[in-house]
Every structure is written in structure tokens, then in C-alpha cells.
Amino acid sequence: MTAAWPRLCFLTGTLNAVAGAERMTATMANALAGQGYAVTILSLWDAASCFPLHPAVRHEALFASRPSFKRAYAGTVAGIRRHLRANRTDVLVQVDPMLAFFALPAALGLGVRHLAWEHCHFDEDLGKPARRLARRLAARFCEAVVVLTERDRRRWLEALRPRSAVVCIPNPLPFAVPAQAAPRTDRTVLAVGRLVAAKGFDVLLRAWAEVVPQAPGWRLTIAGEGEERATLEALRDELGLSDSVTLPGIYEDVTIAYKLASVFCLSSRYEGFGLVLLEAMAFGLPIVSTDCETGPRELLEPGRDALMVPVDQPAALAQALGRLIRHPGEAAALGEAAREKARTYAQEQIVGQWETLIARGKNPSGER
């Protein structure tokens, strides 16, 4: 590529957190840098990253640690503006509509094309009512809002009637589809995610208490870290599951966990997308998932590549897990179908959709 191609900046809170939005920021920045784009990532705080970055990706942070943004508001806006001007940014991608409060004034008058990237679903504000206002600002003043599912795109259009384009671009599989599916020889049910209430691991533990008496030798692994660890460990012990449930924390290479699993379970109360579903599907794991908004309903087909159950119902979750444990043929068929579907989310295809969106701002000659 030549200098005529747009220079990109991804604006995020931090990259030093193991979570889906942060992982996707690094994944997409790396992929676009690999295509030849000039890419920077500007974190509001902490210049460290939990994820490897392409050598061509420049990562900077405004603050060493998370400040009070009420007190540091003016400095945050000024810092973003300095970064945009210093790097002659053409396209700014804010990795959360909440960042509109900083990014919109920071980019004012600079001629920067402004995209908002939504990783949650429209009807969830994550305990921050200001998120609703931020979404309205993004829908009015950004060139485009990128959402992860068609269901969420329809909600944005219905609720806000935005001036901005609302574009559905799903998350890509962060790694290449493995050459071989998981062997599924270990008697392990795997769950992966932050240890927070939204992931419903308390429901999963209660379900597992019903499963384990009928599944001798089977184990449940919940991989991840978060504020609910102590609560979940206490519940595990209270339910008498210490011999069959492990919480090993964060895997440096999460693909190891998938290779050692035979069934994957997503017990979330809500999801913006459900990246871990794609990862499990790529390894050919049969899936039991809650039928929550919005990702699982779009990624999965009940009875074809997954079993789906209502949210917050341990008995239904236990019944579905027990069914796959008792019927390995059905589990294998679900896993094969899931693996085929995962191929449609290959990184090359999704990066192409981002490039198409970015190219909208170029004239036919390809010059800025």
C-alpha cells in the first residue's frame, strides 16, 4: 500500500485487560497493519498490552493508570487531539460508544472520519446510564457505527433512527481454523470468560451439581479471571464440587484449553457477541449455550450446531450438558457442524469488510 491509504487510530480504554473488546482491538489493528495500513492504538490508560501487537502498530497511552475522568476530562480530550494531529489520523475508530464523550470534541475540525465500534448489545448499558446518551451521540455525529450482529443493527435503527450508517461486521476468529479438531478424548466440559456476574458461572456451577452424579469421571473447567472468583470458589465448595471443578485462571494460550475439552458451555446472562463460541466452534466442540441476546442467537442454530437453553435456568443447562455427555454421536455431529460454520468467520473475510468500510472515504483514484 502507499501513503495515499488512510491512517487509522483505534481509541480504547486499555489493552491491559483480558476481555473481548480489547482482544478484538489488537486483532483488527494487527490485521490491518499486516495489510499495510498505518495503524496506531491510543489507550486512555496503561501502555501495556495483554495481547501481542504487530511490529508496525504503535501503541501509546495518555495516562499511566486509570485517572478520574471527571477531573481529567479536559486533559483527556486534549491528549486525544494531540495524538490525532501528530499522527495525521484519517480514520478514528472508538472501541466503545462511551468514548464519544472524549473523541467527538477531540476530533472537531480535524477532518477525521469517525467510526464507533459497539461490542455490547443495544439494550445493555453495563450499569452506566450515560451509555445511552453516548450511543445517541455516536448515532448522530459519527460517520458509521459498527455493530456485531444483525439483530443489534436492527435495534439501533429502530430505537435511534440514526443519521450515521449502522453496519454489521461480526468479530473474526482470532486465530486460523485449526488443521485438526480437538480430539475430545478428555472428559472435560469447558467454559471461558471473565469471572463476572454477566457470564452466569454461578448458574453453571448449580447445573454441574446436577450433572456430576450421572457423569462419573467428568470435570468442569472455568477458564478466566475476575471479581467473582472468591464467590464462585465458595459456591463450588458449598455444592461439594471441589473434586470436579477447576478455575485455573487465564490461559496464556487459550487454544490449549479448547484442545483438552470435549464439550463447551456458555452460561451467560447476556452477550454482545460471544467470541468464545467461535473459538470453541473452530475446534469442533459441541456447544451448550444460553439463548441470550444477541450473539448466541445469531451465531448458533439449535439442534444443528448447538443445544440452547433459557437464561438463568440451571436445570435446563444441566439437562443439555447431560444429554451431550450421554450421547457422544449427537455431540460429534454438533461439533462437526460448528466447525464448518466457524470457517465463515475467518479473519481474512472480516478484515475485508472493515477495508470496504474504510474505503468509503476514498475517491475512485484511491487518493485521499
Side-chain angles (χ1 to χ4, degrees):
M1 294 197 179
T2 70
W5 286 81
R7 291 176 287 267
L8 314 177
C9 172
F10 288 86
L11 175 67
T12 187
T14 180
L15 283 185
N16 201 18
V18 180
E22 290 77 7
R23 188 175 188 188
M24 279 298 102
T25 300
T27 297
M28 198 53 58
N30 289 344
L32 290 167
Q35 293 292 94
Y37 289 87
V39 181
T40 65
I41 299 175
L42 179 62
S43 292
L44 295 189
W45 72 92
D46 199 341
S49 173
C50 287
F51 309 99
L53 298 176
H54 190 286
V57 174
R58 293 181 51 199
H59 179 213
E60 301 174 2
L62 293 182
F63 303 100
S65 59
R66 184 169 186 161
S68 164
F69 285 110
K70 288 184 179 179
R71 291 195 293 269
Y73 179 79
T76 303
V77 172
I80 296 169
R81 190 173 182 85
R82 281 195 303 272
H83 181 92
L84 298 178
R85 295 183 71 175
N87 292 281
R88 296 182 297 149
T89 300
D90 297 301
V91 181
L92 171 63
V93 182
Q94 60 174 61
V95 189
D96 186 332
M98 283 288 282
L99 294 172
F101 293 123
F102 305 109
L104 286 170
L108 196 64
L110 296 183
V112 175
R113 297 172 56 209
H114 195 162
L115 312 178
W117 192 5
E118 173 68 276
H119 288 266
C120 192
H121 70 80
F122 185 83
D123 295 304
E124 177 56 53
D125 63 16
L126 301 179
K128 296 181 179 179
R131 190 175 296 277
R132 300 171 193 171
L133 174 58
R135 286 177 174 137
R136 291 186 177 276
L137 292 174
R140 183 177 179 84
F141 296 109
C142 289
E143 176 184 311
V145 176
V146 177
V147 299
L148 303 180
T149 67
E150 283 294 337
R151 284 173 171 79
D152 217 41
R153 189 181 76 86
R154 289 195 294 269
R155 285 294 293 125
W156 276 77
L157 295 175
E158 293 165 359
L160 299 183
R161 300 190 178 184
R163 292 185 179 181
S164 308
V166 181
V167 182
C168 174
I169 304 180
N171 283 335
L173 188 64
F175 45 76
V177 175
Q180 301 293 329
R184 301 184 54 245
T185 52
D186 288 0
R187 296 181 175 186
T188 299
V189 172
L190 174 67
V192 177
R194 289 176 298 125
L195 305 185
V196 295
K199 300 303 180 183
F201 292 137
D202 57 319
V203 181
L204 177 54
L205 287 174
R206 295 187 188 281
W208 190 248
E210 298 184 33
V211 172
V212 75
Q214 285 79 44
W218 280 79
R219 298 184 59 81
L220 170 64
T221 297
I222 302 175
E225 198 52 79
E227 61 199 42
E228 294 281 310
R229 169 172 284 278
T231 301
L232 293 171
E233 289 178 334
L235 179 59
R236 174 194 61 184
D237 296 343
E238 176 190 329
L239 294 171
L241 300 174
S242 56
D243 290 337
S244 66
V245 176
T246 56
L247 289 87
I250 296 169
Y251 280 77
E252 185 173 340
D253 180 1
V254 73
T255 63
I256 294 172
Y258 293 114
K259 290 174 184 176
L260 296 176
S262 291
V263 175
F264 185 83
C265 183
L266 184 136
S267 54
S268 297
R269 292 181 165 95
Y270 61 82
E271 283 286 346
F273 184 71
L275 182 61
V276 293
L277 291 175
L278 269 190
E279 295 176 342
M281 292 161 73
F283 279 93
L285 295 181
I287 290 170
V288 173
S289 173
T290 49
D291 185 22
C292 65
E293 290 283 359
T294 52
R297 289 185 183 174
E298 193 148 318
L299 288 173
L300 304 174
E301 295 178 62
R304 184 177 184 277
D305 49 36
L307 299 183
M308 301 187 73
V309 302
V311 172
D312 262 326
Q313 294 194 19
L317 198 60
Q319 184 178 18
L321 287 170
R323 176 173 157 182
L324 292 190
I325 289 171
R326 291 190 304 271
H327 298 94
E330 179 182 9
L334 293 176
E336 289 173 12
R339 185 165 156 84
E340 284 307 306
K341 183 182 287 184
R343 298 182 192 280
T344 66
Y345 292 87
Q347 199 169 115
E348 299 78 19
Q349 298 182 50
I350 307 302
V351 171
Q353 294 180 49
W354 273 96
E355 290 194 277
T356 297
L357 177 61
I358 292 166
R360 288 182 183 179
K362 294 165 52 184
N363 65 34
S365 69
E367 297 179 357
R368 297 197 322 275

